[in-house]
Amino acid sequence: MHDAPAAIVIHGTLLHTPVFGEVEVLAGALISVTSDGRIATVCPQNSPRHPEILSSAREAGTLTELRPGQYLLPGFVDLHIHAPQWPQMGKALEMPLNEWLQQRTFPLEAKYDDIDFARQSYESLVDNLLANGTTTAAYFGTVHVAATTLLADIAHDKGQRAIIGKVAMDNIDECPEFYRDNSTTAGLDGTRELIEHINAIPNNGRPLVLPAVTPRFIPSCTDEMLHGLAQIVSEYGCHVQTHCSESDWEHQYVIDRHGMKDTQSLDRIGLLTGKTILAHSNLIDDEDMSTIKARASSVAHCPLSNLYFSHSVFPLRKALDSGLKVGLGTDISGGPSPSILHNCQSAIGVSRALEDGVNPRMAADDRGTPESRIDFREAFWMATVGGANALGLKVGQFRQDFEFDAVLVDTGVAGSNLVVWENLDSPDDILQKIIYNADRQNIKNVWVQGRQVRA
Ligand code: GUN
Ligand code: FE
Protein backbone atom coordinates (compact mmCIF):
# COMPACT_ATOMS: atom_id res chain seq x y z
CA MET A 1 0.00 0.00 0.00
CA HIS A 2 2.74 2.43 0.93
CA ASP A 3 4.43 2.03 -2.42
CA ALA A 4 1.35 3.19 -4.34
CA PRO A 5 1.84 6.72 -5.71
CA ALA A 6 0.94 9.34 -3.13
CA ALA A 7 -1.92 11.71 -3.87
CA ILE A 8 -0.20 14.57 -2.06
CA VAL A 9 3.41 15.01 -1.05
CA ILE A 10 4.32 18.01 1.09
CA HIS A 11 7.93 19.12 1.46
CA GLY A 12 8.77 21.41 4.34
CA THR A 13 9.08 21.77 8.09
CA LEU A 14 6.68 19.75 10.24
CA LEU A 15 6.08 20.67 13.89
CA HIS A 16 4.19 18.32 16.19
CA THR A 17 4.20 16.93 19.75
CA PRO A 18 3.92 13.13 19.58
CA VAL A 19 5.46 12.87 23.06
CA PHE A 20 3.80 14.85 25.86
CA GLY A 21 5.81 17.99 26.57
CA GLU A 22 8.21 17.64 23.63
CA VAL A 23 8.22 19.41 20.28
CA GLU A 24 9.45 17.31 17.37
CA VAL A 25 10.74 19.34 14.44
CA LEU A 26 11.13 17.64 11.08
CA ALA A 27 12.87 20.21 8.90
CA GLY A 28 12.82 19.60 5.16
CA ALA A 29 10.76 16.44 5.60
CA LEU A 30 8.46 14.85 3.03
CA ILE A 31 5.01 13.73 4.09
CA SER A 32 3.21 11.49 1.61
CA VAL A 33 -0.56 11.06 1.78
CA THR A 34 -2.55 8.26 0.12
CA SER A 35 -5.55 8.97 -2.11
CA ASP A 36 -7.83 7.93 0.77
CA GLY A 37 -6.29 10.49 3.12
CA ARG A 38 -3.92 8.51 5.27
CA ILE A 39 -0.29 9.31 5.94
CA ALA A 40 1.76 6.81 3.89
CA THR A 41 5.21 7.94 4.99
CA VAL A 42 6.95 10.69 6.90
CA CYS A 43 10.42 10.87 5.40
CA PRO A 44 13.05 12.92 7.24
CA GLN A 45 15.46 15.07 5.26
CA ASN A 46 18.43 12.80 5.90
CA SER A 47 16.72 9.58 4.79
CA PRO A 48 18.27 7.82 1.76
CA ARG A 49 14.75 7.68 0.23
CA HIS A 50 14.27 11.45 0.41
CA PRO A 51 15.76 12.37 -3.02
CA GLU A 52 13.79 9.68 -4.81
CA ILE A 53 10.43 10.55 -3.17
CA LEU A 54 11.04 14.22 -3.87
CA SER A 55 11.87 13.78 -7.55
CA SER A 56 9.04 11.34 -8.26
CA ALA A 57 6.50 13.63 -6.58
CA ARG A 58 7.84 16.52 -8.62
CA GLU A 59 7.47 14.50 -11.83
CA ALA A 60 3.99 13.30 -10.90
CA GLY A 61 2.86 16.86 -10.12
CA THR A 62 1.79 15.90 -6.59
CA LEU A 63 4.39 17.98 -4.75
CA THR A 64 3.57 20.98 -2.56
CA GLU A 65 6.66 22.89 -1.48
CA LEU A 66 6.35 24.93 1.70
CA ARG A 67 8.05 28.30 1.55
CA PRO A 68 10.43 29.51 4.27
CA GLY A 69 8.33 30.68 7.20
CA GLN A 70 5.61 28.10 6.51
CA TYR A 71 5.07 25.18 8.89
CA LEU A 72 2.85 22.13 8.76
CA LEU A 73 1.09 21.37 12.08
CA PRO A 74 -1.46 18.69 12.96
CA GLY A 75 -5.07 19.94 12.80
CA PHE A 76 -6.62 21.03 16.08
CA VAL A 77 -9.22 19.08 18.08
CA ASP A 78 -12.04 20.98 19.80
CA LEU A 79 -13.19 18.45 22.38
CA HIS A 80 -16.24 20.38 23.56
CA ILE A 81 -18.34 22.89 21.68
CA HIS A 82 -22.03 23.83 21.55
CA ALA A 83 -22.83 24.25 17.86
CA PRO A 84 -26.14 26.13 18.36
CA GLN A 85 -24.48 28.72 20.59
CA TRP A 86 -22.40 30.07 17.68
CA PRO A 87 -24.57 33.22 17.32
CA GLN A 88 -24.06 33.91 21.03
CA MET A 89 -20.26 33.69 20.97
CA GLY A 90 -18.66 36.72 22.60
CA LYS A 91 -21.71 37.89 24.53
CA ALA A 92 -23.86 37.06 27.55
CA LEU A 93 -20.89 36.19 29.72
CA GLU A 94 -21.88 37.91 32.93
CA MET A 95 -24.51 35.58 34.44
CA PRO A 96 -24.22 32.50 36.63
CA LEU A 97 -24.55 29.22 34.74
CA ASN A 98 -28.16 28.42 35.55
CA GLU A 99 -29.46 31.92 34.81
CA TRP A 100 -27.42 32.02 31.59
CA LEU A 101 -28.93 28.71 30.52
CA GLN A 102 -32.51 29.68 31.32
CA GLN A 103 -32.47 33.29 30.13
CA ARG A 104 -30.09 33.30 27.20
CA THR A 105 -29.03 29.87 26.02
CA PHE A 106 -32.21 27.80 26.04
CA PRO A 107 -34.16 30.53 24.14
CA LEU A 108 -31.39 30.61 21.50
CA GLU A 109 -31.17 26.83 21.19
CA ALA A 110 -34.96 26.61 20.86
CA LYS A 111 -34.68 28.57 17.58
CA TYR A 112 -33.09 25.55 15.88
CA ASP A 113 -36.59 24.24 15.42
CA ASP A 114 -36.36 26.47 12.35
CA ILE A 115 -34.29 24.45 9.89
CA ASP A 116 -33.39 27.46 7.74
CA PHE A 117 -31.93 29.25 10.73
CA ALA A 118 -30.11 26.04 11.70
CA ARG A 119 -28.62 25.75 8.21
CA GLN A 120 -27.44 29.35 8.17
CA SER A 121 -25.87 29.10 11.63
CA TYR A 122 -24.24 25.68 11.17
CA GLU A 123 -22.77 26.48 7.75
CA SER A 124 -21.19 29.62 9.19
CA LEU A 125 -19.92 27.72 12.24
CA VAL A 126 -18.25 24.88 10.34
CA ASP A 127 -16.64 27.29 7.83
CA ASN A 128 -15.27 29.43 10.63
CA LEU A 129 -13.92 26.56 12.69
CA LEU A 130 -12.14 25.10 9.65
CA ALA A 131 -10.67 28.52 8.94
CA ASN A 132 -9.30 28.50 12.49
CA GLY A 133 -7.68 25.11 11.95
CA THR A 134 -10.18 22.99 13.89
CA THR A 135 -10.15 19.76 11.92
CA THR A 136 -12.09 17.75 14.53
CA ALA A 137 -14.94 19.01 16.73
CA ALA A 138 -17.04 17.23 19.36
CA TYR A 139 -20.36 19.04 19.00
CA PHE A 140 -23.40 19.28 21.25
CA GLY A 141 -26.39 20.00 18.99
CA THR A 142 -29.86 20.86 20.25
CA VAL A 143 -32.85 18.71 21.24
CA HIS A 144 -34.00 18.83 17.60
CA VAL A 145 -33.30 15.75 15.51
CA ALA A 146 -33.70 17.54 12.17
CA ALA A 147 -31.27 20.36 12.99
CA THR A 148 -28.75 17.96 14.49
CA THR A 149 -28.80 15.57 11.53
CA LEU A 150 -28.34 18.67 9.36
CA LEU A 151 -25.25 19.61 11.39
CA ALA A 152 -23.88 16.12 10.73
CA ASP A 153 -24.53 16.48 7.00
CA ILE A 154 -22.94 19.94 6.88
CA ALA A 155 -19.80 18.79 8.72
CA HIS A 156 -19.56 15.79 6.40
CA ASP A 157 -20.08 17.86 3.23
CA LYS A 158 -17.57 20.49 4.25
CA GLY A 159 -15.13 17.76 5.26
CA GLN A 160 -14.79 18.41 8.98
CA ARG A 161 -14.23 15.47 11.30
CA ALA A 162 -16.96 15.61 13.92
CA ILE A 163 -18.57 13.82 16.83
CA ILE A 164 -22.18 14.99 17.09
CA GLY A 165 -24.95 14.49 19.62
CA LYS A 166 -28.60 15.38 19.88
CA VAL A 167 -28.89 16.95 23.31
CA ALA A 168 -31.14 15.00 25.68
CA MET A 169 -33.08 17.08 28.20
CA ASP A 170 -36.45 15.92 29.48
CA ASN A 171 -36.54 17.05 33.13
CA ILE A 172 -39.49 19.42 33.36
CA ASP A 173 -38.18 20.87 36.64
CA GLU A 174 -35.04 22.20 34.97
CA CYS A 175 -35.99 22.59 31.30
CA PRO A 176 -38.56 25.12 30.11
CA GLU A 177 -41.60 24.04 28.17
CA PHE A 178 -40.35 25.83 25.05
CA TYR A 179 -37.11 23.88 25.03
CA ARG A 180 -37.01 20.24 26.05
CA ASP A 181 -37.66 16.79 24.68
CA ASN A 182 -41.40 16.25 24.25
CA SER A 183 -41.08 13.16 26.46
CA THR A 184 -38.42 10.78 27.69
CA THR A 185 -39.32 8.35 24.93
CA ALA A 186 -39.12 11.10 22.31
CA GLY A 187 -35.64 12.03 23.56
CA LEU A 188 -34.45 8.44 23.43
CA ASP A 189 -35.99 7.80 20.01
CA GLY A 190 -34.46 11.03 18.69
CA THR A 191 -31.06 9.94 19.96
CA ARG A 192 -31.39 6.63 18.11
CA GLU A 193 -32.57 8.43 14.99
CA LEU A 194 -29.49 10.65 14.96
CA ILE A 195 -27.17 7.67 15.47
CA GLU A 196 -28.84 5.74 12.65
CA HIS A 197 -28.71 8.81 10.39
CA ILE A 198 -24.98 9.33 10.97
CA ASN A 199 -24.20 5.63 10.58
CA ALA A 200 -25.96 5.73 7.19
CA ILE A 201 -24.33 8.88 5.75
CA PRO A 202 -23.05 7.87 2.29
CA ASN A 203 -19.27 7.89 1.82
CA ASN A 204 -18.72 8.04 5.57
CA GLY A 205 -16.88 4.70 5.34
CA ARG A 206 -13.81 5.33 7.45
CA PRO A 207 -16.01 7.59 9.49
CA LEU A 208 -15.47 11.30 9.33
CA VAL A 209 -18.61 11.99 11.34
CA LEU A 210 -19.53 9.92 14.40
CA PRO A 211 -22.56 9.98 16.71
CA ALA A 212 -22.54 10.67 20.45
CA VAL A 213 -25.12 10.08 23.15
CA THR A 214 -25.43 13.52 24.77
CA PRO A 215 -27.25 14.01 28.07
CA ARG A 216 -26.82 17.77 28.52
CA PHE A 217 -25.99 17.29 32.20
CA ILE A 218 -27.64 15.45 35.06
CA PRO A 219 -29.92 18.39 36.05
CA SER A 220 -31.52 18.44 32.57
CA CYS A 221 -32.33 14.72 32.52
CA THR A 222 -34.68 12.45 34.42
CA ASP A 223 -33.21 9.23 35.79
CA GLU A 224 -35.27 7.34 33.25
CA MET A 225 -33.61 9.30 30.45
CA LEU A 226 -30.12 8.71 31.85
CA HIS A 227 -30.71 4.96 32.12
CA GLY A 228 -32.28 4.85 28.65
CA LEU A 229 -29.25 6.63 27.18
CA ALA A 230 -26.91 4.18 28.91
CA GLN A 231 -28.85 1.36 27.24
CA ILE A 232 -28.34 3.04 23.84
CA VAL A 233 -24.61 3.36 24.55
CA SER A 234 -24.39 -0.33 25.33
CA GLU A 235 -26.19 -1.18 22.07
CA TYR A 236 -24.27 1.08 19.72
CA GLY A 237 -20.92 1.45 21.49
CA CYS A 238 -20.87 5.11 20.50
CA HIS A 239 -19.27 8.11 22.14
CA VAL A 240 -20.87 9.83 25.17
CA GLN A 241 -20.53 13.51 26.02
CA THR A 242 -21.91 15.45 28.95
CA HIS A 243 -21.04 18.17 31.47
CA CYS A 244 -19.52 17.05 34.76
CA SER A 245 -19.08 18.92 38.07
CA GLU A 246 -18.80 22.23 36.26
CA SER A 247 -19.96 24.79 38.82
CA ASP A 248 -20.83 24.94 42.50
CA TRP A 249 -24.55 25.09 41.73
CA GLU A 250 -24.48 22.13 39.35
CA HIS A 251 -22.18 20.00 41.53
CA GLN A 252 -24.38 20.54 44.58
CA TYR A 253 -27.58 19.93 42.60
CA VAL A 254 -26.39 16.41 41.74
CA ILE A 255 -25.34 15.68 45.33
CA ASP A 256 -28.77 16.83 46.55
CA ARG A 257 -30.69 14.81 43.94
CA HIS A 258 -28.61 11.65 43.72
CA GLY A 259 -26.77 11.68 47.03
CA MET A 260 -23.46 11.45 45.19
CA LYS A 261 -21.18 13.41 42.88
CA ASP A 262 -21.55 13.59 39.09
CA THR A 263 -18.77 11.10 38.39
CA GLN A 264 -20.18 8.48 40.74
CA SER A 265 -23.67 8.97 39.43
CA LEU A 266 -22.69 8.75 35.75
CA ASP A 267 -20.62 5.67 36.53
CA ARG A 268 -23.44 3.93 38.42
CA ILE A 269 -25.75 4.55 35.46
CA GLY A 270 -23.25 3.18 32.93
CA LEU A 271 -22.39 6.42 31.17
CA LEU A 272 -18.67 6.40 31.94
CA THR A 273 -16.97 4.44 29.19
CA GLY A 274 -13.68 4.60 27.29
CA LYS A 275 -15.52 6.83 24.80
CA THR A 276 -16.98 9.31 27.31
CA ILE A 277 -16.00 12.98 27.22
CA LEU A 278 -16.69 14.89 30.43
CA ALA A 279 -16.74 18.63 29.85
CA HIS A 280 -15.19 20.91 32.48
CA SER A 281 -15.02 18.63 35.56
CA ASN A 282 -13.64 21.53 37.62
CA LEU A 283 -14.83 20.22 40.95
CA ILE A 284 -13.76 16.58 40.64
CA ASP A 285 -11.74 15.25 43.56
CA ASP A 286 -9.10 12.52 43.78
CA GLU A 287 -11.73 9.80 44.06
CA ASP A 288 -13.48 11.07 40.91
CA MET A 289 -10.16 11.18 39.09
CA SER A 290 -9.45 7.55 39.88
CA THR A 291 -12.94 6.54 38.70
CA ILE A 292 -12.53 8.49 35.46
CA LYS A 293 -9.13 6.91 34.95
CA ALA A 294 -10.40 3.40 35.69
CA ARG A 295 -13.15 3.81 33.08
CA ALA A 296 -10.67 5.36 30.58
CA SER A 297 -13.03 8.31 30.17
CA SER A 298 -11.69 11.75 29.25
CA VAL A 299 -12.01 15.37 30.30
CA ALA A 300 -12.50 18.30 27.93
CA HIS A 301 -10.77 21.22 29.64
CA CYS A 302 -12.35 24.52 28.63
CA PRO A 303 -10.12 27.16 30.21
CA LEU A 304 -11.91 30.29 29.02
CA SER A 305 -15.29 28.99 30.08
CA ASN A 306 -13.88 28.16 33.54
CA LEU A 307 -13.38 31.86 34.14
CA TYR A 308 -16.97 32.81 33.37
CA PHE A 309 -19.08 29.88 34.55
CA SER A 310 -17.09 27.67 36.90
CA HIS A 311 -15.66 30.32 39.24
CA SER A 312 -12.67 28.02 39.52
CA VAL A 313 -9.94 26.48 37.41
CA PHE A 314 -9.84 22.80 36.50
CA PRO A 315 -6.87 21.09 38.21
CA LEU A 316 -5.36 20.20 34.86
CA ARG A 317 -1.81 19.38 35.93
CA LYS A 318 -3.10 17.07 38.64
CA ALA A 319 -5.38 15.34 36.14
CA LEU A 320 -2.56 14.88 33.63
CA ASP A 321 -0.18 13.64 36.33
CA SER A 322 -2.89 11.20 37.49
CA GLY A 323 -2.99 9.69 33.99
CA LEU A 324 -6.34 11.09 32.87
CA LYS A 325 -6.94 11.67 29.18
CA VAL A 326 -7.45 15.41 28.69
CA GLY A 327 -7.99 17.58 25.62
CA LEU A 328 -9.07 21.17 25.04
CA GLY A 329 -12.51 22.56 24.30
CA THR A 330 -13.70 26.03 23.31
CA ASP A 331 -17.11 25.48 24.98
CA ILE A 332 -18.58 28.07 22.63
CA SER A 333 -20.38 30.17 23.81
CA GLY A 334 -19.42 29.58 27.47
CA GLY A 335 -15.96 30.39 26.10
CA PRO A 336 -15.84 33.41 23.79
CA SER A 337 -13.26 32.24 21.21
CA PRO A 338 -13.49 29.64 18.42
CA SER A 339 -9.72 29.32 18.22
CA ILE A 340 -8.03 26.32 19.78
CA LEU A 341 -4.77 28.30 19.72
CA HIS A 342 -6.43 30.97 21.90
CA ASN A 343 -7.59 28.19 24.18
CA CYS A 344 -4.00 26.88 24.41
CA GLN A 345 -2.97 30.35 25.58
CA SER A 346 -5.80 30.40 28.09
CA ALA A 347 -4.99 26.92 29.38
CA ILE A 348 -1.44 28.03 30.04
CA GLY A 349 -2.60 31.32 31.61
CA VAL A 350 -5.22 29.84 33.93
CA SER A 351 -2.80 27.11 35.01
CA ARG A 352 -0.30 29.81 36.00
CA ALA A 353 -3.02 31.68 37.91
CA LEU A 354 -3.96 28.47 39.72
CA GLU A 355 -0.34 27.82 40.61
CA ASP A 356 0.46 31.32 41.87
CA GLY A 357 -3.00 32.27 43.13
CA VAL A 358 -4.66 35.57 42.34
CA ASN A 359 -5.37 37.37 45.60
CA PRO A 360 -2.52 39.83 46.23
CA ARG A 361 -3.72 40.38 49.82
CA MET A 362 -2.78 36.80 50.69
CA ALA A 363 0.74 35.72 51.60
CA ALA A 364 2.57 34.40 48.54
CA ASP A 365 2.97 30.93 50.05
CA ASP A 366 -0.74 30.54 50.71
CA ARG A 367 -1.98 32.16 47.56
CA GLY A 368 -1.85 29.37 45.02
CA THR A 369 -1.80 25.65 44.33
CA PRO A 370 1.81 24.61 43.76
CA GLU A 371 2.78 22.63 40.68
CA SER A 372 -0.29 23.49 38.65
CA ARG A 373 1.26 25.04 35.59
CA ILE A 374 1.48 23.64 32.10
CA ASP A 375 3.65 25.01 29.31
CA PHE A 376 3.02 25.68 25.61
CA ARG A 377 4.29 22.26 24.54
CA GLU A 378 1.83 20.55 26.87
CA ALA A 379 -1.01 22.83 25.79
CA PHE A 380 -0.30 22.05 22.14
CA TRP A 381 -0.16 18.34 22.90
CA MET A 382 -3.65 18.60 24.45
CA ALA A 383 -4.93 20.52 21.42
CA THR A 384 -3.78 17.71 19.11
CA VAL A 385 -2.72 14.35 20.61
CA GLY A 386 -4.73 14.74 23.84
CA GLY A 387 -7.96 15.44 21.96
CA ALA A 388 -7.24 12.57 19.57
CA ASN A 389 -6.60 10.12 22.42
CA ALA A 390 -9.79 11.23 24.15
CA LEU A 391 -11.81 10.46 21.02
CA GLY A 392 -9.85 7.35 20.05
CA LEU A 393 -8.93 8.85 16.66
CA LYS A 394 -5.71 8.40 14.70
CA VAL A 395 -5.15 12.12 14.27
CA GLY A 396 -3.09 14.80 16.01
CA GLN A 397 0.39 13.79 14.90
CA PHE A 398 2.33 13.05 11.73
CA ARG A 399 2.76 9.32 11.79
CA GLN A 400 2.43 6.52 9.25
CA ASP A 401 -1.14 5.21 8.91
CA PHE A 402 -2.59 8.17 10.80
CA GLU A 403 -5.19 10.37 9.14
CA PHE A 404 -3.79 13.37 7.32
CA ASP A 405 -5.51 16.19 9.24
CA ALA A 406 -3.21 19.20 9.07
CA VAL A 407 -2.89 22.97 8.98
CA LEU A 408 -0.37 25.03 7.11
CA VAL A 409 0.70 27.99 9.24
CA ASP A 410 2.30 30.88 7.38
CA THR A 411 4.33 33.12 9.67
CA GLY A 412 5.07 35.54 6.85
CA VAL A 413 1.59 36.95 6.32
CA ALA A 414 1.58 40.73 6.04
CA GLY A 415 -0.47 42.49 8.69
CA SER A 416 -0.36 39.66 11.21
CA ASN A 417 0.87 39.74 14.80
CA LEU A 418 3.11 36.74 14.26
CA VAL A 419 6.65 37.97 13.74
CA VAL A 420 9.42 35.40 13.52
CA TRP A 421 13.10 36.32 13.69
CA GLU A 422 15.02 33.66 11.78
CA ASN A 423 18.25 34.18 13.69
CA LEU A 424 16.69 34.52 17.12
CA ASP A 425 13.84 32.01 17.19
CA SER A 426 14.36 28.27 17.69
CA PRO A 427 11.68 25.88 16.37
CA ASP A 428 10.27 25.64 19.91
CA ASP A 429 10.11 29.46 20.01
CA ILE A 430 8.27 29.41 16.70
CA LEU A 431 5.65 26.98 18.01
CA GLN A 432 5.28 29.12 21.12
CA LYS A 433 4.85 32.25 19.00
CA ILE A 434 2.28 30.48 16.82
CA ILE A 435 0.29 29.62 19.94
CA TYR A 436 0.45 33.17 21.29
CA ASN A 437 0.26 35.24 18.13
CA ALA A 438 -1.08 33.30 15.16
CA ASP A 439 -4.53 34.21 13.99
CA ARG A 440 -6.80 32.84 11.30
CA GLN A 441 -5.02 34.79 8.57
CA ASN A 442 -1.89 32.74 9.36
CA ILE A 443 -3.77 29.49 8.73
CA LYS A 444 -3.30 29.22 4.98
CA ASN A 445 -4.48 25.70 4.20
CA VAL A 446 -6.39 23.04 6.10
CA TRP A 447 -6.66 19.35 5.24
CA VAL A 448 -8.93 16.73 6.79
CA GLN A 449 -8.51 13.07 5.85
CA GLY A 450 -6.29 14.25 2.99
CA ARG A 451 -8.92 16.55 1.53
CA GLN A 452 -8.06 20.22 1.31
CA VAL A 453 -11.03 21.79 3.05
CA ARG A 454 -9.72 25.30 3.08
CA ALA A 455 -7.32 26.84 0.58
N1 GUN B 1 -24.14 22.92 31.43
C1 GUN B 1 -25.28 22.53 30.83
N2 GUN B 1 -25.43 23.12 29.64
C2 GUN B 1 -24.35 23.87 29.46
C3 GUN B 1 -23.91 24.72 28.41
O1 GUN B 1 -24.57 24.90 27.38
N3 GUN B 1 -22.70 25.32 28.58
C4 GUN B 1 -21.96 25.14 29.70
N4 GUN B 1 -20.79 25.75 29.79
N5 GUN B 1 -22.35 24.38 30.70
C5 GUN B 1 -23.53 23.75 30.58
FE1 FE C 1 -20.38 23.19 27.63
Side-chain angles (χ1 to χ4, degrees), residues 134-376:
T134 299
T135 48
T136 300
Y139 287 117
F140 277 49
T142 57
V143 296
H144 314 102
V145 179
T148 310
T149 55
L150 179 67
L151 172 61
D153 293 344
I154 289 172
H156 187 262
D157 289 349
K158 292 186 183 289
Q160 189 182 41
R161 199 179 290 288
I163 286 75
I164 298 179
K166 184 207 101 65
V167 170
M169 36 195 295
D170 68 329
N171 180 5
I172 61 171
D173 296 333
E174 293 295 328
C175 308
E177 198 176 357
F178 65 82
Y179 188 56
R180 63 186 182 221
D181 286 308
N182 289 334
S183 65
T184 309
T185 312
L188 293 170
D189 290 349
T191 298
R192 284 178 194 277
E193 201 179 325
L194 175 76
I195 296 170
E196 300 282 351
H197 175 89
I198 291 177
N199 288 345
I201 291 178
N203 304 318
N204 193 23
R206 198 165 84 249
L208 192 67
V209 179
L210 290 160
V213 159
T214 307
R216 182 171 208 119
F217 60 165
I218 291 172
S220 298
C221 296
T222 60
D223 290 0
E224 196 187 347
M225 174 68 91
L226 294 168
H227 286 285
L229 292 173
Q231 172 61 32
I232 294 177
V233 173
S234 71
E235 284 171 39
Y236 291 92
C238 56
H239 286 87
V240 181
Q241 48 183 358
T242 191
H243 294 92
C244 173
S245 295
E246 177 182 3
S247 70
D248 294 311
W249 164 76
E250 184 273 334
H251 188 62
Q252 192 58 45
Y253 171 97
V254 177
I255 291 170
D256 292 344
R257 189 173 121 194
H258 284 167
M260 61 184 91
K261 297 167 290 174
D262 287 52
T263 308
Q264 295 170 306
S265 186
L266 293 167
D267 190 34
R268 163 196 68 127
I269 294 165
L271 286 167
L272 282 194
T273 76
K275 293 171 94 174
T276 298
I277 310 298
L278 300 170
H280 309 294
S281 308
N282 288 62
L283 300 172
I284 59 173
D285 60 18
D286 290 355
E287 183 189 41
D288 296 323
M289 284 198 189
S290 48
T291 305
I292 294 168
K293 186 179 175 196
R295 302 290 172 258
S297 300
S298 307
V299 174
H301 172 43
C302 307
L304 273 170
S305 175
N306 282 188
L307 299 175
Y308 298 103
F309 294 102
S310 302
H311 310 293
S312 64
V313 172
F314 172 64
L316 171 63
R317 175 97 251 164
K318 171 111 179 109
L320 289 167
D321 290 348
S322 307
L324 262 64
K325 296 189 283 182
V326 190
L328 287 180
T330 59
D331 193 34
I332 288 170
S333 64
S337 170
S339 160
I340 286 293
L341 293 176
H342 289 175
N343 278 278
C344 285
Q345 282 176 38
S346 307
I348 299 161
V350 300
S351 79
R352 298 286 292 265
L354 184 61
E355 178 165 300
D356 290 339
V358 293
N359 183 350
R361 297 289 167 94
M362 287 179 71
D365 285 350
D366 302 331
R367 214 180 277 151
T369 309
E371 294 177 30
S372 291
R373 70 170 66 185
I374 60 153
D375 72 9
F376 70 92

